[in-house]
Amino acid sequence: MSHPSPLTSYTSNDISISRRTQTNIHALKMEIEHKGALVTAHTIDHDSWKQVGLLLVTGYNCGYILSFSNLMLVPLGWTWGIFSLIVVAVFTAYSSWLLAGFHFVNGQRFIRYRDLMGSLFGQEMFYLTWVSQILILLIINMGFILLGGKALKEINAEFGGTSLRLQYFIIITGVAYFVFSILVPTISSMGKWLIISTVLTFTYIVILLAVVIKDGLNSNRVIRYGIRGNNASKMFNGFCAISAIVACNAAGIIPEIQSTLRMPAVENMRKALHLQFSVGLVFYYGVSIAGYWSYGSAVSEYLPENITGPTWAKVLINSVVFTQSIISQHAFIAPVHEALDTKFLILDKGIHSRENIIRLLCLRALLFTLNTLVAAALPFMGDFVNLLGSFLLIPLTFVFPSMIFIKVKREAAKIVKVWHWAIIVLFSLLTVLTTVAAVRLIVNNIAEYYIFADT
């Protein structure tokens, strides 16, 4: 007589119990995924607030600050420019601090912004939040690729190299970002790289400030700070500048960054935010103000193009900007990596395991190939950054946190609710105005756009 196989040796009752167990596990898994709980391919509950603080300080002091003088202060001038810098920074800091407090709601933890909004306001807000974040993070990453390409082109020009088109340098940058994303796949794995980023950041900022201030003090030319255009264009360009100021202070990913922190996550995230809006703010606002002071309304969209310092200073600044951007860009694209990795990798295997490495390579290669292609084709995307920042980033940064407060804190005093309703109304109106201004700017400049321009 043959012996029964392990499968046939179970009784019908055992099989029934096994099926019920599998059903319960499947139901539990679906419930966890529905509630947006801690299902992720990336690391959570791991980092110190100092590490996240460094990430925020160096991330927001990346090479993007080299365009801030032109984008933020030229359209506004001194009075409205400084006023707008202060007001937007105060409201951004407050809204970020507020959002960090909703990492836990009714005992449930949310590691993604979209899950928090979906749980409180329904499926439509889940998708609206997620689409807004994806578009912002992708356009930020394309901007980084373009920034890195311009830095390499400037270095090439200083050495009298061949007149290669910008697109070649953009491709080199995209490849460098791809390699880094494989070696350092998550935010938490950036630990030692953030120390390097900090050194690089303050190296190029100190050298840049020294050269820019020297130019401002030694200049024999007349520096003009007047705002160009008629009254209508001044007003619309001013709203575009406000949109750029918002973009320089926020990225709409507070819950995603907060998820990496050790407990207590709320307290630690707020410590990291304090570092960003003190030490970090001083430097990226400082470079913006110094650049405008030194070169006035003629300040370039890429500040190193203005400086008259020695060749070594220009080469060093651009080299450090390129190197540091490799690290900084990773923090802003990491939520997209996390979403793709969680969807397509085998979650019970290591991210660099044999089972996952091919998938990881394919996912990263697809993402950076598309982003590099778009950056190479649209090297004038600054206008589109204003557009996306207007109708996507302003709601994520200001409107949604106050909506969450009103929904969760039902017992709050009436005056506090009125305050948050005022924020919702004010910044919803600002969203409309800045979006109209951004669309107008694109329409006015559309004749200057052409695909794969060598800018």
Side-chain angles (χ1 to χ4, degrees):
M1 176 186 289
S2 62
H3 293 286
S5 69
L7 178 59
T8 57
S9 66
Y10 287 124
T11 65
S12 60
N13 187 50
D14 291 331
I15 294 173
S16 176
I17 292 173
S18 177
R19 286 175 177 169
R20 285 201 302 272
T21 302
Q22 291 176 356
T23 301
N24 290 339
I25 291 174
H26 179 70
L28 178 60
K29 183 179 178 182
M30 293 299 292
E31 182 181 1
I32 289 173
E33 291 179 346
H34 175 69
K35 289 183 176 180
L38 314 182
V39 179
T40 178
H42 287 197
T43 306
I44 59 174
D45 297 329
H46 179 271
D47 304 337
S48 69
W49 73 267
K50 294 178 182 178
Q51 178 171 325
V52 172
L54 280 182
L55 182 147
L56 293 174
V57 169
T58 60
Y60 286 102
N61 276 287
C62 63
Y64 266 115
I65 66 175
L66 302 178
S67 64
F68 287 169
S69 301
N70 178 277
L71 289 176
M72 300 190 310
L73 291 174
V74 170
L76 291 169
W78 279 119
T79 303
W80 282 107
I82 298 300
F83 176 78
S84 298
L85 289 176
I86 294 171
V87 170
V88 171
V90 168
F91 273 97
T92 306
Y94 172 72
S95 296
S96 300
W97 179 89
L98 188 69
L99 183 57
F102 295 116
H103 197 59
F104 296 90
V105 176
N106 298 325
Q108 183 181 349
R109 186 181 184 185
F110 293 93
I111 62 173
R112 304 177 187 93
Y113 204 162
R114 61 187 182 275
D115 293 331
L116 174 59
M117 293 300 293
S119 175
L120 294 176
F121 300 102
Q123 190 177 46
E124 291 79 9
M125 287 302 296
F126 172 92
Y127 288 113
L128 176 61
T129 305
W130 184 215
V131 169
S132 299
Q133 286 184 299
I134 285 180
L135 290 175
I136 288 169
L137 296 175
L138 290 179
I139 199 75
I140 287 174
N141 188 252
M142 294 171 198
F144 268 113
I145 293 172
L146 180 59
L147 174 74
K150 286 191 173 184
L152 290 179
K153 187 175 181 181
E154 286 291 311
I155 295 170
N156 182 66
E158 287 299 320
F159 284 110
T162 57
S163 55
L164 290 175
R165 293 179 61 83
L166 174 63
Q167 281 68 27
Y168 290 102
F169 299 108
I170 286 175
I171 291 171
I172 294 171
T173 304
V175 171
Y177 289 3
F178 163 73
V179 172
F180 187 81
S181 73
I182 298 297
L183 298 175
V184 185
T186 70
I187 287 180
S188 291
S189 57
M190 292 176 68
K192 61 183 179 182
W193 293 98
L194 289 173
I195 298 174
I196 297 172
S197 180
T198 302
V199 173
L200 293 173
T201 298
F202 290 106
T203 295
Y204 88 81
I205 285 180
V206 169
I207 295 173
L208 180 70
L209 283 174
V211 177
V212 167
I213 292 172
K214 176 185 70 68
D215 283 353
L217 292 174
N218 297 338
S219 176
N220 294 321
R221 68 188 185 282
V222 177
I223 302 175
R224 294 182 173 85
Y225 300 104
I227 304 173
R228 303 186 189 96
N230 56 36
N231 290 336
S233 64
K234 288 180 181 179
M235 180 183 69
F236 284 115
N237 291 340
F239 283 122
C240 286
I242 292 172
S243 178
I245 296 172
V246 174
C248 94
N249 282 289
I253 53 173
I254 293 294
E256 286 78 4
I257 294 175
Q258 190 172 1
S259 69
T260 69
L261 280 166
R262 301 171 194 156
M263 295 298 175
V266 173
E267 179 182 337
N268 284 333
M269 188 65 203
R270 285 175 170 170
K271 287 180 180 178
L273 288 169
H274 289 156
L275 200 61
Q276 176 196 344
F277 287 101
S278 56
V279 175
L281 192 76
V282 166
F283 283 95
Y284 59 78
Y285 272 12
V287 170
S288 306
I289 293 170
Y292 184 60
W293 167 77
S294 183
Y295 308 108
S297 301
V299 65
S300 171
E301 291 182 356
Y302 186 63
L303 190 55
E305 293 177 347
N306 285 110
I307 64 177
T308 60
T311 297
W312 70 263
K314 289 186 177 182
V315 171
L316 183 58
I317 289 169
N318 282 291
S319 299
V320 176
V321 165
F322 172 77
T323 307
Q324 196 270 349
S325 74
I326 297 175
I327 304 171
S328 285
Q329 61 84 29
H330 189 66
F332 295 104
I333 199 65
V336 178
H337 290 324
E338 188 274 335
L340 293 172
D341 294 346
T342 302
K343 179 71 174 178
F344 294 105
L345 298 188
I346 302 172
L347 297 186
D348 59 352
K349 301 291 184 180
I351 200 165
H352 283 140
S353 66
R354 184 176 60 183
E355 293 86 354
N356 279 331
I357 190 63
I358 299 300
R359 300 182 186 208
L360 186 71
L361 287 167
C362 291
L363 290 172
R364 299 294 196 270
L366 177 62
L367 177 63
F368 283 106
T369 298
L370 292 175
N371 280 7
T372 302
L373 178 61
V374 174
L378 306 175
F380 41 78
M381 65 174 60
D383 292 351
F384 296 93
V385 171
N386 283 339
L387 178 61
L388 288 176
S390 299
F391 76 92
L392 297 177
L393 191 54
I394 291 177
L396 284 173
T397 305
F398 304 110
V399 178
F400 290 0
S402 286
M403 289 172 56
I404 295 170
F405 180 90
I406 292 170
K407 182 78 171 182
V408 174
K409 303 291 185 180
R410 299 178 184 274
E411 74 286 355
K414 185 176 180 180
I415 186 65
V416 178
K417 289 185 177 180
V418 169
W419 163 250
H420 285 284
W421 272 114
I423 291 176
I424 291 171
V425 172
L426 173 64
F427 284 99
S428 295
L429 179 61
L430 184 63
T431 299
V432 174
L433 293 173
T434 54
T435 301
V436 171
V439 170
R440 177 183 179 275
L441 181 64
I442 291 173
V443 171
N444 288 344
N445 292 342
I446 198 165
E448 301 175 11
Y449 301 152
Y450 60 95
I451 304 298
F452 296 104
D454 184 20
T455 58

